[in-house]
Amino acid sequence: MKKFFCAVLILLLVTSTSFAAAKKPAKNAPKSVNSGVLTYLGTTESEFQESLDDLRKAVAPLIPTEEEKGEWESYDRLEGFLADLVKTRRVIKFFDSLMAMEMALRSGRIDELSLPEAVALYLVQNNDKYDILFSLNMMPSTISFGFKRGNTKLQKEFNSAISAMKKDGTLKRLESQYITDLAGSEPKAVKFQEFKGAQTIKVAVTGDLPPIDYIAANGTPTGYNTAILNEIGKRLKKNIRLISVDAGGRSAALSSERADVVFWYRNTEGLNTNKVKGLKGKNINMKDSIEGVILSEPYYTWDTDIVLGRRTQ
């Protein structure tokens, strides 16, 4: 019996030692950072993570030495992300709203959040909660209007209005007024023109991309997107009615016909690394598109995302 208990004790010690060894991180293992992004509807969180991890593996043997930096095309644009990608594994967390993502950052459930440049700068200018960690300017992205598949009539009407607004400078003027020249102030509310007896178009807003897609503290949707919609309504002589949805609920709002139109942002082809030697075809899958939705021509474009972290001082 005594031999039996000794054997059990040795077995437990060996098992616990092996378990501890297995749990101990490798000497050169990358640190993990929990990174928040607004939900992409065209890919799952796990698919996004897998493509990001694949890119890490592809980048690892390509990181240049100090002497080689000049030979790596566009290295200066990669310093904040790709060069850091090998030593930092970003664990992606999807969030259906900006508010939920901000709360997760404040509570420590995530370490950083990634947003379009205009949105990140607006948040930094309007409060002291955030620090800019780095910028990533290899992600060409756009905002379009999304319609339920089959609603090509409304899609063509919106495309016609967007095209006219590009030609006459309206898009550029509204972009300056509601995004570029805000200087930290809140966007002005938009009063929609009403057309008696005309068709009413229901548009879903999220408020997740201030000052682009923005809902004021009193619950009134405003910002760049509402200004664009007001112009489209006037040109089409149709009424616009706004309804609120979460970012992750955009396609459901269309399929249920709760909304006729949604803002479809980040209609991107992925992280563009094709110009980097050795990384052609290694892009991250970040398409924000989904079956059953058709898109208008884009009316706003950005190529830089900014990663924010909590201000520590």
Side-chain angles (χ1 to χ4, degrees), residues 48 52 55 76-83 85 90 114-117 132-141 270-273 284 286 302-307:
F48 190 109
L52 185 60
L55 182 60
D76 59 324
R77 296 198 299 162
L78 299 173
E79 282 184 324
F81 183 74
L82 291 183
L85 197 62
R90 284 184 157 76
S114 178
L115 292 166
E117 180 179 36
I132 294 176
L133 302 182
F134 62 85
S135 299
L136 177 62
N137 60 350
M138 299 177 66
M139 297 174 64
S141 305
L271 178 64
N272 183 11
T273 60
I284 300 177
M286 293 187 291
W302 73 91
D303 62 5
T304 300
D305 272 21
I306 292 181
V307 176

PDB file of all heavy atoms in Angstrom, residues 48 52 55 76-83 85 90 114-117 132-141 270-273 284 286 302-307:
ATOM      1  N   PHE A  48     -11.278  35.999 -39.682  1.00  0.00           N
ATOM      2  CA  PHE A  48     -10.433  37.189 -39.621  1.00  0.00           C
ATOM      3  C   PHE A  48      -9.142  36.872 -38.872  1.00  0.00           C
ATOM      4  O   PHE A  48      -8.042  37.211 -39.311  1.00  0.00           O
ATOM      5  CB  PHE A  48     -11.211  38.306 -38.917  1.00  0.00           C
ATOM      6  CG  PHE A  48     -10.572  39.668 -38.990  1.00  0.00           C
ATOM      7  CD1 PHE A  48     -11.125  40.664 -39.769  1.00  0.00           C
ATOM      8  CD2 PHE A  48      -9.425  39.966 -38.269  1.00  0.00           C
ATOM      9  CE1 PHE A  48     -10.554  41.926 -39.834  1.00  0.00           C
ATOM     10  CE2 PHE A  48      -8.844  41.218 -38.317  1.00  0.00           C
ATOM     11  CZ  PHE A  48      -9.412  42.206 -39.117  1.00  0.00           C
ATOM     12  N   LEU A  52      -5.184  36.829 -40.233  1.00  0.00           N
ATOM     13  CA  LEU A  52      -4.184  37.675 -39.586  1.00  0.00           C
ATOM     14  C   LEU A  52      -2.999  36.840 -39.111  1.00  0.00           C
ATOM     15  O   LEU A  52      -1.835  37.231 -39.281  1.00  0.00           O
ATOM     16  CB  LEU A  52      -4.813  38.421 -38.406  1.00  0.00           C
ATOM     17  CG  LEU A  52      -3.931  39.435 -37.681  1.00  0.00           C
ATOM     18  CD1 LEU A  52      -3.468  40.523 -38.641  1.00  0.00           C
ATOM     19  CD2 LEU A  52      -4.674  40.050 -36.505  1.00  0.00           C
ATOM     20  N   LEU A  55      -0.852  35.882 -41.988  1.00  0.00           N
ATOM     21  CA  LEU A  55      -0.005  36.997 -42.408  1.00  0.00           C
ATOM     22  C   LEU A  55       1.206  37.120 -41.490  1.00  0.00           C
ATOM     23  O   LEU A  55       2.322  37.382 -41.946  1.00  0.00           O
ATOM     24  CB  LEU A  55      -0.807  38.300 -42.409  1.00  0.00           C
ATOM     25  CG  LEU A  55      -0.051  39.548 -42.890  1.00  0.00           C
ATOM     26  CD1 LEU A  55       0.433  39.366 -44.328  1.00  0.00           C
ATOM     27  CD2 LEU A  55      -0.923  40.783 -42.772  1.00  0.00           C
ATOM     28  N   ASP A  76       8.558  52.166 -44.669  1.00  0.00           N
ATOM     29  CA  ASP A  76       8.160  53.232 -43.765  1.00  0.00           C
ATOM     30  C   ASP A  76       6.680  53.155 -43.419  1.00  0.00           C
ATOM     31  O   ASP A  76       6.258  53.549 -42.340  1.00  0.00           O
ATOM     32  CB  ASP A  76       8.479  54.608 -44.373  1.00  0.00           C
ATOM     33  CG  ASP A  76       7.785  54.832 -45.698  1.00  0.00           C
ATOM     34  OD1 ASP A  76       7.666  53.852 -46.457  1.00  0.00           O
ATOM     35  OD2 ASP A  76       7.372  55.971 -45.969  1.00  0.00           O
ATOM     36  N   ARG A  77       5.853  52.621 -44.309  1.00  0.00           N
ATOM     37  CA  ARG A  77       4.419  52.513 -44.059  1.00  0.00           C
ATOM     38  C   ARG A  77       4.065  51.271 -43.245  1.00  0.00           C
ATOM     39  O   ARG A  77       2.927  51.093 -42.847  1.00  0.00           O
ATOM     40  CB  ARG A  77       3.663  52.481 -45.396  1.00  0.00           C
ATOM     41  CG  ARG A  77       3.823  53.768 -46.191  1.00  0.00           C
ATOM     42  CD  ARG A  77       2.753  53.884 -47.238  1.00  0.00           C
ATOM     43  NE  ARG A  77       2.806  52.791 -48.191  1.00  0.00           N
ATOM     44  CZ  ARG A  77       1.800  52.462 -48.987  1.00  0.00           C
ATOM     45  NH1 ARG A  77       0.661  53.086 -48.894  1.00  0.00           N
ATOM     46  NH2 ARG A  77       1.919  51.471 -49.850  1.00  0.00           N
ATOM     47  N   LEU A  78       5.040  50.405 -43.020  1.00  0.00           N
ATOM     48  CA  LEU A  78       4.761  49.164 -42.315  1.00  0.00           C
ATOM     49  C   LEU A  78       5.271  49.172 -40.874  1.00  0.00           C
ATOM     50  O   LEU A  78       4.963  48.273 -40.106  1.00  0.00           O
ATOM     51  CB  LEU A  78       5.418  47.984 -43.038  1.00  0.00           C
ATOM     52  CG  LEU A  78       4.948  47.734 -44.455  1.00  0.00           C
ATOM     53  CD1 LEU A  78       5.794  46.661 -45.088  1.00  0.00           C
ATOM     54  CD2 LEU A  78       3.506  47.338 -44.476  1.00  0.00           C
ATOM     55  N   GLU A  79       6.062  50.166 -40.528  1.00  0.00           N
ATOM     56  CA  GLU A  79       6.731  50.144 -39.225  1.00  0.00           C
ATOM     57  C   GLU A  79       5.771  49.967 -38.058  1.00  0.00           C
ATOM     58  O   GLU A  79       6.079  49.276 -37.096  1.00  0.00           O
ATOM     59  CB  GLU A  79       7.539  51.428 -39.027  1.00  0.00           C
ATOM     60  CG  GLU A  79       8.855  51.398 -39.790  1.00  0.00           C
ATOM     61  CD  GLU A  79       9.689  52.625 -39.514  1.00  0.00           C
ATOM     62  OE1 GLU A  79       9.117  53.711 -39.360  1.00  0.00           O
ATOM     63  OE2 GLU A  79      10.912  52.487 -39.467  1.00  0.00           O
ATOM     64  N   GLY A  80       4.575  50.597 -38.156  1.00  0.00           N
ATOM     65  CA  GLY A  80       3.643  50.535 -37.037  1.00  0.00           C
ATOM     66  C   GLY A  80       2.880  49.231 -36.916  1.00  0.00           C
ATOM     67  O   GLY A  80       2.263  48.973 -35.898  1.00  0.00           O
ATOM     68  N   PHE A  81       2.910  48.411 -37.958  1.00  0.00           N
ATOM     69  CA  PHE A  81       2.062  47.216 -37.929  1.00  0.00           C
ATOM     70  C   PHE A  81       2.796  45.950 -38.326  1.00  0.00           C
ATOM     71  O   PHE A  81       2.983  45.062 -37.491  1.00  0.00           O
ATOM     72  CB  PHE A  81       0.862  47.427 -38.845  1.00  0.00           C
ATOM     73  CG  PHE A  81      -0.118  46.287 -38.830  1.00  0.00           C
ATOM     74  CD1 PHE A  81      -0.959  46.107 -37.748  1.00  0.00           C
ATOM     75  CD2 PHE A  81      -0.188  45.395 -39.877  1.00  0.00           C
ATOM     76  CE1 PHE A  81      -1.858  45.057 -37.708  1.00  0.00           C
ATOM     77  CE2 PHE A  81      -1.089  44.343 -39.857  1.00  0.00           C
ATOM     78  CZ  PHE A  81      -1.929  44.177 -38.775  1.00  0.00           C
ATOM     79  N   LEU A  82       3.234  45.835 -39.551  1.00  0.00           N
ATOM     80  CA  LEU A  82       3.799  44.571 -40.008  1.00  0.00           C
ATOM     81  C   LEU A  82       5.078  44.204 -39.263  1.00  0.00           C
ATOM     82  O   LEU A  82       5.272  43.039 -38.904  1.00  0.00           O
ATOM     83  CB  LEU A  82       4.070  44.627 -41.514  1.00  0.00           C
ATOM     84  CG  LEU A  82       2.828  44.661 -42.405  1.00  0.00           C
ATOM     85  CD1 LEU A  82       3.241  44.639 -43.866  1.00  0.00           C
ATOM     86  CD2 LEU A  82       1.902  43.497 -42.111  1.00  0.00           C
ATOM     87  N   ALA A  83       5.962  45.184 -39.040  1.00  0.00           N
ATOM     88  CA  ALA A  83       7.197  44.881 -38.326  1.00  0.00           C
ATOM     89  C   ALA A  83       6.914  44.455 -36.894  1.00  0.00           C
ATOM     90  O   ALA A  83       7.645  43.667 -36.306  1.00  0.00           O
ATOM     91  CB  ALA A  83       8.129  46.081 -38.350  1.00  0.00           C
ATOM     92  N   LEU A  85       4.132  42.929 -36.080  1.00  0.00           N
ATOM     93  CA  LEU A  85       3.212  41.797 -36.152  1.00  0.00           C
ATOM     94  C   LEU A  85       3.842  40.503 -35.657  1.00  0.00           C
ATOM     95  O   LEU A  85       3.180  39.649 -35.078  1.00  0.00           O
ATOM     96  CB  LEU A  85       2.725  41.629 -37.594  1.00  0.00           C
ATOM     97  CG  LEU A  85       1.487  40.775 -37.845  1.00  0.00           C
ATOM     98  CD1 LEU A  85       0.282  41.380 -37.140  1.00  0.00           C
ATOM     99  CD2 LEU A  85       1.220  40.669 -39.337  1.00  0.00           C
ATOM    100  N   ARG A  90      -2.122  39.819 -32.342  1.00  0.00           N
ATOM    101  CA  ARG A  90      -3.361  40.532 -32.064  1.00  0.00           C
ATOM    102  C   ARG A  90      -4.536  39.543 -32.089  1.00  0.00           C
ATOM    103  O   ARG A  90      -4.797  38.900 -33.099  1.00  0.00           O
ATOM    104  CB  ARG A  90      -3.572  41.646 -33.082  1.00  0.00           C
ATOM    105  CG  ARG A  90      -2.657  42.794 -32.766  1.00  0.00           C
ATOM    106  CD  ARG A  90      -2.777  44.017 -33.590  1.00  0.00           C
ATOM    107  NE  ARG A  90      -2.248  45.122 -32.818  1.00  0.00           N
ATOM    108  CZ  ARG A  90      -0.940  45.338 -32.641  1.00  0.00           C
ATOM    109  NH1 ARG A  90      -0.066  44.535 -33.195  1.00  0.00           N
ATOM    110  NH2 ARG A  90      -0.527  46.347 -31.899  1.00  0.00           N
ATOM    111  N   SER A 114      -9.407  49.635 -33.226  1.00  0.00           N
ATOM    112  CA  SER A 114      -9.010  50.122 -34.538  1.00  0.00           C
ATOM    113  C   SER A 114     -10.193  50.800 -35.211  1.00  0.00           C
ATOM    114  O   SER A 114     -11.282  50.230 -35.293  1.00  0.00           O
ATOM    115  CB  SER A 114      -8.507  48.954 -35.395  1.00  0.00           C
ATOM    116  OG  SER A 114      -8.160  49.398 -36.695  1.00  0.00           O
ATOM    117  N   LEU A 115      -9.971  52.024 -35.709  1.00  0.00           N
ATOM    118  CA  LEU A 115     -11.045  52.810 -36.304  1.00  0.00           C
ATOM    119  C   LEU A 115     -10.527  53.587 -37.515  1.00  0.00           C
ATOM    120  O   LEU A 115      -9.328  53.864 -37.617  1.00  0.00           O
ATOM    121  CB  LEU A 115     -11.604  53.801 -35.279  1.00  0.00           C
ATOM    122  CG  LEU A 115     -12.368  53.210 -34.092  1.00  0.00           C
ATOM    123  CD1 LEU A 115     -12.550  54.268 -33.017  1.00  0.00           C
ATOM    124  CD2 LEU A 115     -13.715  52.651 -34.533  1.00  0.00           C
ATOM    125  N   PRO A 116     -11.439  53.992 -38.424  1.00  0.00           N
ATOM    126  CA  PRO A 116     -11.027  54.868 -39.519  1.00  0.00           C
ATOM    127  C   PRO A 116     -10.398  56.152 -38.972  1.00  0.00           C
ATOM    128  O   PRO A 116     -10.765  56.622 -37.889  1.00  0.00           O
ATOM    129  CB  PRO A 116     -12.341  55.169 -40.249  1.00  0.00           C
ATOM    130  CG  PRO A 116     -13.228  54.022 -39.917  1.00  0.00           C
ATOM    131  CD  PRO A 116     -12.861  53.622 -38.522  1.00  0.00           C
ATOM    132  N   GLU A 117      -9.472  56.712 -39.727  1.00  0.00           N
ATOM    133  CA  GLU A 117      -8.717  57.874 -39.264  1.00  0.00           C
ATOM    134  C   GLU A 117      -9.615  59.004 -38.767  1.00  0.00           C
ATOM    135  O   GLU A 117      -9.406  59.548 -37.674  1.00  0.00           O
ATOM    136  CB  GLU A 117      -7.828  58.390 -40.395  1.00  0.00           C
ATOM    137  CG  GLU A 117      -6.992  59.594 -40.023  1.00  0.00           C
ATOM    138  CD  GLU A 117      -6.113  60.051 -41.168  1.00  0.00           C
ATOM    139  OE1 GLU A 117      -6.553  59.962 -42.335  1.00  0.00           O
ATOM    140  OE2 GLU A 117      -4.985  60.505 -40.900  1.00  0.00           O
ATOM    141  N   ILE A 132      -3.129  57.697 -29.270  1.00  0.00           N
ATOM    142  CA  ILE A 132      -2.914  57.072 -30.572  1.00  0.00           C
ATOM    143  C   ILE A 132      -1.696  56.152 -30.469  1.00  0.00           C
ATOM    144  O   ILE A 132      -0.603  56.602 -30.113  1.00  0.00           O
ATOM    145  CB  ILE A 132      -2.704  58.126 -31.669  1.00  0.00           C
ATOM    146  CG1 ILE A 132      -3.995  58.938 -31.870  1.00  0.00           C
ATOM    147  CG2 ILE A 132      -2.278  57.464 -32.976  1.00  0.00           C
ATOM    148  CD1 ILE A 132      -3.863  60.071 -32.870  1.00  0.00           C
ATOM    149  N   LEU A 133      -1.889  54.867 -30.766  1.00  0.00           N
ATOM    150  CA  LEU A 133      -0.800  53.900 -30.689  1.00  0.00           C
ATOM    151  C   LEU A 133      -0.015  53.849 -32.000  1.00  0.00           C
ATOM    152  O   LEU A 133       1.205  53.908 -32.005  1.00  0.00           O
ATOM    153  CB  LEU A 133      -1.336  52.514 -30.338  1.00  0.00           C
ATOM    154  CG  LEU A 133      -2.113  52.416 -29.015  1.00  0.00           C
ATOM    155  CD1 LEU A 133      -2.548  50.982 -28.759  1.00  0.00           C
ATOM    156  CD2 LEU A 133      -1.278  52.933 -27.845  1.00  0.00           C
ATOM    157  N   PHE A 134      -0.719  53.716 -33.117  1.00  0.00           N
ATOM    158  CA  PHE A 134      -0.071  53.766 -34.427  1.00  0.00           C
ATOM    159  C   PHE A 134      -1.129  53.897 -35.511  1.00  0.00           C
ATOM    160  O   PHE A 134      -2.324  53.724 -35.264  1.00  0.00           O
ATOM    161  CB  PHE A 134       0.821  52.534 -34.684  1.00  0.00           C
ATOM    162  CG  PHE A 134       0.095  51.221 -34.704  1.00  0.00           C
ATOM    163  CD1 PHE A 134      -0.510  50.752 -35.852  1.00  0.00           C
ATOM    164  CD2 PHE A 134       0.039  50.436 -33.559  1.00  0.00           C
ATOM    165  CE1 PHE A 134      -1.173  49.533 -35.863  1.00  0.00           C
ATOM    166  CE2 PHE A 134      -0.616  49.213 -33.558  1.00  0.00           C
ATOM    167  CZ  PHE A 134      -1.227  48.771 -34.724  1.00  0.00           C
ATOM    168  N   SER A 135      -0.670  54.218 -36.715  1.00  0.00           N
ATOM    169  CA  SER A 135      -1.558  54.334 -37.876  1.00  0.00           C
ATOM    170  C   SER A 135      -1.210  53.253 -38.883  1.00  0.00           C
ATOM    171  O   SER A 135      -0.055  52.843 -38.998  1.00  0.00           O
ATOM    172  CB  SER A 135      -1.410  55.714 -38.535  1.00  0.00           C
ATOM    173  OG  SER A 135      -1.747  56.740 -37.641  1.00  0.00           O
ATOM    174  N   LEU A 136      -2.201  52.811 -39.600  1.00  0.00           N
ATOM    175  CA  LEU A 136      -2.008  51.805 -40.648  1.00  0.00           C
ATOM    176  C   LEU A 136      -2.638  52.340 -41.926  1.00  0.00           C
ATOM    177  O   LEU A 136      -3.856  52.409 -42.050  1.00  0.00           O
ATOM    178  CB  LEU A 136      -2.661  50.478 -40.250  1.00  0.00           C
ATOM    179  CG  LEU A 136      -2.604  49.354 -41.282  1.00  0.00           C
ATOM    180  CD1 LEU A 136      -1.152  48.973 -41.560  1.00  0.00           C
ATOM    181  CD2 LEU A 136      -3.375  48.142 -40.797  1.00  0.00           C
ATOM    182  N   ASN A 137      -1.799  52.763 -42.871  1.00  0.00           N
ATOM    183  CA  ASN A 137      -2.342  53.390 -44.077  1.00  0.00           C
ATOM    184  C   ASN A 137      -2.208  52.513 -45.316  1.00  0.00           C
ATOM    185  O   ASN A 137      -1.855  52.963 -46.389  1.00  0.00           O
ATOM    186  CB  ASN A 137      -1.688  54.750 -44.320  1.00  0.00           C
ATOM    187  CG  ASN A 137      -0.188  54.657 -44.498  1.00  0.00           C
ATOM    188  OD1 ASN A 137       0.403  53.611 -44.255  1.00  0.00           O
ATOM    189  ND2 ASN A 137       0.418  55.738 -44.933  1.00  0.00           N
ATOM    190  N   MET A 138      -2.509  51.237 -45.143  1.00  0.00           N
ATOM    191  CA  MET A 138      -2.502  50.312 -46.278  1.00  0.00           C
ATOM    192  C   MET A 138      -3.852  49.598 -46.389  1.00  0.00           C
ATOM    193  O   MET A 138      -3.936  48.459 -46.823  1.00  0.00           O
ATOM    194  CB  MET A 138      -1.381  49.284 -46.108  1.00  0.00           C
ATOM    195  CG  MET A 138       0.005  49.892 -46.050  1.00  0.00           C
ATOM    196  SD  MET A 138       1.265  48.653 -45.760  1.00  0.00           S
ATOM    197  CE  MET A 138       1.156  47.711 -47.268  1.00  0.00           C
ATOM    198  N   MET A 139      -4.923  50.286 -45.964  1.00  0.00           N
ATOM    199  CA  MET A 139      -6.237  49.649 -45.931  1.00  0.00           C
ATOM    200  C   MET A 139      -7.265  50.508 -46.672  1.00  0.00           C
ATOM    201  O   MET A 139      -8.068  51.200 -46.060  1.00  0.00           O
ATOM    202  CB  MET A 139      -6.679  49.428 -44.493  1.00  0.00           C
ATOM    203  CG  MET A 139      -5.780  48.493 -43.716  1.00  0.00           C
ATOM    204  SD  MET A 139      -6.211  48.383 -41.968  1.00  0.00           S
ATOM    205  CE  MET A 139      -7.841  47.652 -42.081  1.00  0.00           C
ATOM    206  N   PRO A 140      -7.258  50.514 -48.009  1.00  0.00           N
ATOM    207  CA  PRO A 140      -8.229  51.316 -48.748  1.00  0.00           C
ATOM    208  C   PRO A 140      -9.655  50.868 -48.443  1.00  0.00           C
ATOM    209  O   PRO A 140      -9.998  49.705 -48.611  1.00  0.00           O
ATOM    210  CB  PRO A 140      -7.862  51.055 -50.218  1.00  0.00           C
ATOM    211  CG  PRO A 140      -7.099  49.765 -50.209  1.00  0.00           C
ATOM    212  CD  PRO A 140      -6.395  49.715 -48.892  1.00  0.00           C
ATOM    213  N   SER A 141     -10.475  51.778 -47.960  1.00  0.00           N
ATOM    214  CA  SER A 141     -11.829  51.447 -47.525  1.00  0.00           C
ATOM    215  C   SER A 141     -12.798  52.511 -48.002  1.00  0.00           C
ATOM    216  O   SER A 141     -12.397  53.652 -48.276  1.00  0.00           O
ATOM    217  CB  SER A 141     -11.898  51.342 -45.995  1.00  0.00           C
ATOM    218  OG  SER A 141     -10.945  50.406 -45.518  1.00  0.00           O
ATOM    219  N   GLY A 270      -9.257  44.303 -48.288  1.00  0.00           N
ATOM    220  CA  GLY A 270      -8.330  43.701 -47.339  1.00  0.00           C
ATOM    221  C   GLY A 270      -7.097  44.550 -47.128  1.00  0.00           C
ATOM    222  O   GLY A 270      -6.925  45.601 -47.738  1.00  0.00           O
ATOM    223  N   LEU A 271      -6.234  44.112 -46.250  1.00  0.00           N
ATOM    224  CA  LEU A 271      -4.983  44.805 -45.989  1.00  0.00           C
ATOM    225  C   LEU A 271      -4.085  44.651 -47.208  1.00  0.00           C
ATOM    226  O   LEU A 271      -3.721  43.543 -47.596  1.00  0.00           O
ATOM    227  CB  LEU A 271      -4.300  44.217 -44.756  1.00  0.00           C
ATOM    228  CG  LEU A 271      -2.948  44.809 -44.378  1.00  0.00           C
ATOM    229  CD1 LEU A 271      -3.110  46.273 -43.994  1.00  0.00           C
ATOM    230  CD2 LEU A 271      -2.335  44.037 -43.231  1.00  0.00           C
ATOM    231  N   ASN A 272      -3.730  45.758 -47.838  1.00  0.00           N
ATOM    232  CA  ASN A 272      -3.012  45.724 -49.105  1.00  0.00           C
ATOM    233  C   ASN A 272      -1.506  45.589 -48.893  1.00  0.00           C
ATOM    234  O   ASN A 272      -0.822  46.569 -48.619  1.00  0.00           O
ATOM    235  CB  ASN A 272      -3.322  46.994 -49.900  1.00  0.00           C
ATOM    236  CG  ASN A 272      -2.665  46.987 -51.267  1.00  0.00           C
ATOM    237  OD1 ASN A 272      -2.149  45.972 -51.701  1.00  0.00           O
ATOM    238  ND2 ASN A 272      -2.705  48.120 -51.941  1.00  0.00           N
ATOM    239  N   THR A 273      -1.002  44.380 -49.012  1.00  0.00           N
ATOM    240  CA  THR A 273       0.440  44.152 -48.846  1.00  0.00           C
ATOM    241  C   THR A 273       1.092  43.709 -50.153  1.00  0.00           C
ATOM    242  O   THR A 273       2.249  43.294 -50.161  1.00  0.00           O
ATOM    243  CB  THR A 273       0.690  43.054 -47.788  1.00  0.00           C
ATOM    244  OG1 THR A 273       0.061  41.834 -48.227  1.00  0.00           O
ATOM    245  CG2 THR A 273       0.143  43.462 -46.445  1.00  0.00           C
ATOM    246  N   ILE A 284      -5.093  40.224 -45.755  1.00  0.00           N
ATOM    247  CA  ILE A 284      -6.094  39.804 -44.778  1.00  0.00           C
ATOM    248  C   ILE A 284      -7.475  39.931 -45.411  1.00  0.00           C
ATOM    249  O   ILE A 284      -7.792  40.936 -46.037  1.00  0.00           O
ATOM    250  CB  ILE A 284      -6.031  40.673 -43.514  1.00  0.00           C
ATOM    251  CG1 ILE A 284      -4.647  40.563 -42.865  1.00  0.00           C
ATOM    252  CG2 ILE A 284      -7.089  40.250 -42.514  1.00  0.00           C
ATOM    253  CD1 ILE A 284      -4.482  41.460 -41.658  1.00  0.00           C
ATOM    254  N   MET A 286     -10.839  41.077 -45.300  1.00  0.00           N
ATOM    255  CA  MET A 286     -11.632  41.989 -44.500  1.00  0.00           C
ATOM    256  C   MET A 286     -12.780  42.586 -45.315  1.00  0.00           C
ATOM    257  O   MET A 286     -13.199  43.702 -45.098  1.00  0.00           O
ATOM    258  CB  MET A 286     -10.760  43.110 -43.919  1.00  0.00           C
ATOM    259  CG  MET A 286      -9.763  42.608 -42.895  1.00  0.00           C
ATOM    260  SD  MET A 286      -8.870  43.927 -42.069  1.00  0.00           S
ATOM    261  CE  MET A 286      -7.880  44.531 -43.424  1.00  0.00           C
ATOM    262  N   TRP A 302     -11.351  56.253 -47.349  1.00  0.00           N
ATOM    263  CA  TRP A 302     -10.181  56.502 -46.503  1.00  0.00           C
ATOM    264  C   TRP A 302      -9.198  55.351 -46.683  1.00  0.00           C
ATOM    265  O   TRP A 302      -9.579  54.242 -47.071  1.00  0.00           O
ATOM    266  CB  TRP A 302     -10.567  56.660 -45.034  1.00  0.00           C
ATOM    267  CG  TRP A 302     -10.964  55.407 -44.307  1.00  0.00           C
ATOM    268  CD1 TRP A 302     -10.146  54.579 -43.597  1.00  0.00           C
ATOM    269  CD2 TRP A 302     -12.274  54.842 -44.206  1.00  0.00           C
ATOM    270  NE1 TRP A 302     -10.864  53.536 -43.054  1.00  0.00           N
ATOM    271  CE2 TRP A 302     -12.173  53.677 -43.416  1.00  0.00           C
ATOM    272  CE3 TRP A 302     -13.527  55.215 -44.699  1.00  0.00           C
ATOM    273  CZ2 TRP A 302     -13.284  52.875 -43.121  1.00  0.00           C
ATOM    274  CZ3 TRP A 302     -14.623  54.413 -44.407  1.00  0.00           C
ATOM    275  CH2 TRP A 302     -14.490  53.261 -43.622  1.00  0.00           C
ATOM    276  N   ASP A 303      -7.927  55.608 -46.432  1.00  0.00           N
ATOM    277  CA  ASP A 303      -6.931  54.538 -46.558  1.00  0.00           C
ATOM    278  C   ASP A 303      -6.110  54.360 -45.293  1.00  0.00           C
ATOM    279  O   ASP A 303      -5.144  53.597 -45.279  1.00  0.00           O
ATOM    280  CB  ASP A 303      -6.001  54.786 -47.750  1.00  0.00           C
ATOM    281  CG  ASP A 303      -5.186  56.071 -47.615  1.00  0.00           C
ATOM    282  OD1 ASP A 303      -5.279  56.723 -46.557  1.00  0.00           O
ATOM    283  OD2 ASP A 303      -4.460  56.420 -48.568  1.00  0.00           O
ATOM    284  N   THR A 304      -6.499  55.073 -44.210  1.00  0.00           N
ATOM    285  CA  THR A 304      -5.741  54.969 -42.964  1.00  0.00           C
ATOM    286  C   THR A 304      -6.659  54.615 -41.798  1.00  0.00           C
ATOM    287  O   THR A 304      -7.668  55.281 -41.587  1.00  0.00           O
ATOM    288  CB  THR A 304      -5.023  56.304 -42.651  1.00  0.00           C
ATOM    289  OG1 THR A 304      -4.124  56.610 -43.723  1.00  0.00           O
ATOM    290  CG2 THR A 304      -4.231  56.193 -41.346  1.00  0.00           C
ATOM    291  N   ASP A 305      -6.323  53.565 -41.095  1.00  0.00           N
ATOM    292  CA  ASP A 305      -6.964  53.236 -39.823  1.00  0.00           C
ATOM    293  C   ASP A 305      -5.996  53.628 -38.700  1.00  0.00           C
ATOM    294  O   ASP A 305      -4.786  53.508 -38.852  1.00  0.00           O
ATOM    295  CB  ASP A 305      -7.288  51.748 -39.732  1.00  0.00           C
ATOM    296  CG  ASP A 305      -8.661  51.424 -40.317  1.00  0.00           C
ATOM    297  OD1 ASP A 305      -9.156  52.237 -41.119  1.00  0.00           O
ATOM    298  OD2 ASP A 305      -9.212  50.371 -39.977  1.00  0.00           O
ATOM    299  N   ILE A 306      -6.548  54.086 -37.588  1.00  0.00           N
ATOM    300  CA  ILE A 306      -5.735  54.457 -36.428  1.00  0.00           C
ATOM    301  C   ILE A 306      -6.109  53.550 -35.254  1.00  0.00           C
ATOM    302  O   ILE A 306      -7.294  53.324 -34.996  1.00  0.00           O
ATOM    303  CB  ILE A 306      -5.933  55.933 -36.053  1.00  0.00           C
ATOM    304  CG1 ILE A 306      -5.339  56.832 -37.143  1.00  0.00           C
ATOM    305  CG2 ILE A 306      -5.286  56.245 -34.706  1.00  0.00           C
ATOM    306  CD1 ILE A 306      -5.458  58.313 -36.866  1.00  0.00           C
ATOM    307  N   VAL A 307      -5.097  53.025 -34.580  1.00  0.00           N
ATOM    308  CA  VAL A 307      -5.303  52.154 -33.431  1.00  0.00           C
ATOM    309  C   VAL A 307      -5.157  52.997 -32.171  1.00  0.00           C
ATOM    310  O   VAL A 307      -4.146  53.672 -31.969  1.00  0.00           O
ATOM    311  CB  VAL A 307      -4.312  50.985 -33.426  1.00  0.00           C
ATOM    312  CG1 VAL A 307      -4.484  50.138 -32.172  1.00  0.00           C
ATOM    313  CG2 VAL A 307      -4.505  50.130 -34.675  1.00  0.00           C
TER     314      VAL A 307
END
